Amino acid sequence: MRLRVRSTSPSAETATYTHTMLSPLFFELAAFILGLLFGSFLNVCISRLPEHRSIAKPRSHCPQCKNTIRWYDNIPLVSWVILRAKCRECGEKISWRYPLVELAVGFLFVECATQYAMDGFNRFYSPYLPHLDPTTSLINDIAVAILGFLLIGLLVMDWQTHILPDAFTIPGIVVGFLLVCTQAIFLPLGAEDIHLTPRRNLRLSSPGSFAAHGNVFLTGTERLVFGRLAAIVGAALILILVRALYKVIRHREGLGLGDVKLLAMIAAFLGFWPAVLSLFLGTVICGFYAAILLARRRADLATQLPLGTFLCIGGLVSALAGEPLIAWYRSLL
Ligand SMILES: [Zn+2]
């Protein structure tokens, strides 16, 4: 963000205008292109991980004629359009999934970049809001970008193969938790502490002053790290409980362990309540989908549904719009 400088020369003024208007656009365009490249890599993961194939070797090739795809036929989005969704060698159709996944990751990265820019803009006017702190804001946006990337991949993989690979969910849990630890490292001293007797702290004191010491139950760092660990375990326990109940009532497996790890991963990145929100949204959407299938007689009560796909949709909504949704719900109470 740049302040406009009073200038006597109209061309200098226009230049400043152009600069302030163009730079966020370039920032977002860069995020979009980066998103397309990551989306292209995600497509490789989606094709290979459920079959336990390496994502590094061999190079991308057509599944029909096995010819290696040349670099100029492997440009995200562009090549698919130029080739009109067909393999250059054998004419085999290239699925809609490829450009859609690339576009989805592209828009996800644009959204994260915009959010980061917006936080910077808002910080300009209200510098003391803790969630607008530059490090917190950056870590949050990186977390949403990584989580969104993993969720888009898992969404497609569960839909197509009913498999939620550990190669995505388990590193996801670790990365989400490490990001919270990083956030905890940069937490200002005394911020987010939990006090035993909050009333005594009404006196004015700067963060980290000795006035508050001896009264702290959990420091902000402990609260963040232990709180997030509890969130991961709690979210997993909910689904483990549902899984056990289902087994007792229906005498068969109804819920995979992949779904348990997926929800734990969402909790690792976002916390407990956003994970619960994802579970709620996922279950509701899955219920609607099941009702439509039953009404059209395309399924019966024994049909397996890709719950993971719907949990991923819930997770994406939660990551991108969870805060306003939870605030709105609280305002109803
Ligand atoms: Zn081919």
Side-chain angles (χ1 to χ4, degrees):
M1 200 64 218
R2 183 183 275 198
L3 279 175
R4 263 185 64 202
V5 186
R6 186 186 286 265
S7 158
T8 44
S9 133
S11 65
E13 195 155 302
T14 322
T16 320
Y17 259 136
T18 324
H19 176 83
T20 42
M21 279 173 67
L22 273 184
S23 51
L25 209 70
F26 273 125
F27 186 52
E28 279 159 10
L29 188 69
F32 185 64
I33 292 171
L34 193 70
L36 289 182
L37 293 171
F38 271 87
S40 182
F41 170 65
L42 188 56
N43 271 321
V44 177
C45 297
I46 292 171
S47 301
R48 298 185 185 184
L49 282 182
E51 298 171 13
H52 299 285
R53 285 191 289 145
S54 158
I55 50 170
K57 284 178 183 174
R59 284 188 54 200
S60 295
H61 55 270
C62 166
Q64 183 67 25
C65 65
K66 310 287 180 214
N67 276 308
T68 304
I69 297 167
R70 295 185 195 89
W71 68 266
Y72 51 81
D73 284 341
N74 211 1
I75 301 166
L77 213 58
V78 179
S79 293
W80 189 84
V81 175
I82 292 176
L83 291 170
R84 293 195 198 139
K86 283 188 190 110
C87 169
R88 189 188 287 275
E89 306 294 336
C90 68
E92 171 79 358
K93 261 194 99 189
I94 308 170
S95 160
W96 270 98
R97 187 254 283 174
Y98 289 88
L100 277 185
V101 165
E102 284 157 3
L103 269 180
V105 182
F107 284 124
L108 168 75
F109 279 26
V110 167
E111 171 60 28
C112 293
T114 311
Q115 189 59 50
Y116 184 67
M118 287 284 285
D119 282 352
F121 183 76
N122 290 330
R123 190 160 51 237
F124 206 72
Y125 293 101
S126 44
Y128 300 112
L129 288 177
H131 70 278
L132 294 180
D133 167 70
T135 323
T136 311
S137 153
L138 181 65
I139 293 175
N140 282 340
D141 293 322
I142 290 176
V144 172
I146 299 176
L147 174 66
F149 172 86
L150 294 172
L151 286 179
I152 293 169
L154 289 165
L155 186 159
V156 180
M157 285 189 272
D158 197 39
W159 182 259
Q160 291 187 332
T161 63
H162 287 235
I163 291 173
L164 293 163
D166 284 350
F168 263 40
T169 49
I170 290 175
I173 295 173
V174 175
V175 170
F177 182 64
L178 286 180
L179 279 172
V180 172
C181 295
T182 316
Q183 195 179 337
I185 292 171
F186 288 101
L187 208 62
L189 194 65
E192 313 230 1
D193 285 357
I194 298 181
H195 297 102
L196 286 173
T197 45
R199 275 189 194 169
R200 281 195 203 154
N201 289 307
L202 281 176
R203 72 171 92 167
L204 282 174
S205 66
S206 61
S209 80
F210 288 100
H213 280 200
N215 193 20
V216 176
F217 176 61
L218 279 178
T219 63
T221 313
E222 291 165 345
R223 180 188 185 177
L224 257 182
V225 173
F226 294 145
R228 196 52 66 91
L229 265 183
I232 297 169
V233 175
L237 275 180
I238 295 180
L239 279 192
I240 289 175
L241 205 72
V242 173
R243 190 167 184 261
L245 276 176
Y246 190 92
K247 213 170 176 180
V248 168
I249 296 169
R250 301 283 302 266
H251 302 289
R252 62 187 174 86
E253 298 281 355
L255 198 75
L257 275 177
D259 297 308
V260 176
K261 287 174 244 173
L262 169 61
L263 197 67
M265 181 185 92
I266 296 173
F269 277 98
L270 302 176
F272 184 71
W273 290 111
V276 171
L277 176 67
S278 316
L279 177 61
F280 173 74
L281 292 174
T283 320
V284 169
I285 304 170
C286 189
F288 270 114
Y289 178 68
I292 293 170
L293 284 188
L294 284 173
R296 289 179 156 195
R297 296 182 192 286
R298 288 182 47 192
D300 55 38
L301 291 174
T303 306
Q304 281 207 346
L305 294 173
L307 178 67
T309 295
F310 299 103
L311 285 181
C312 289
I313 297 173
L316 284 169
V317 174
S318 213
L320 297 171
E323 267 176 43
L325 270 177
I326 291 174
W328 170 75
Y329 178 72
R330 288 213 172 119
S331 73
L332 297 178
L333 298 177

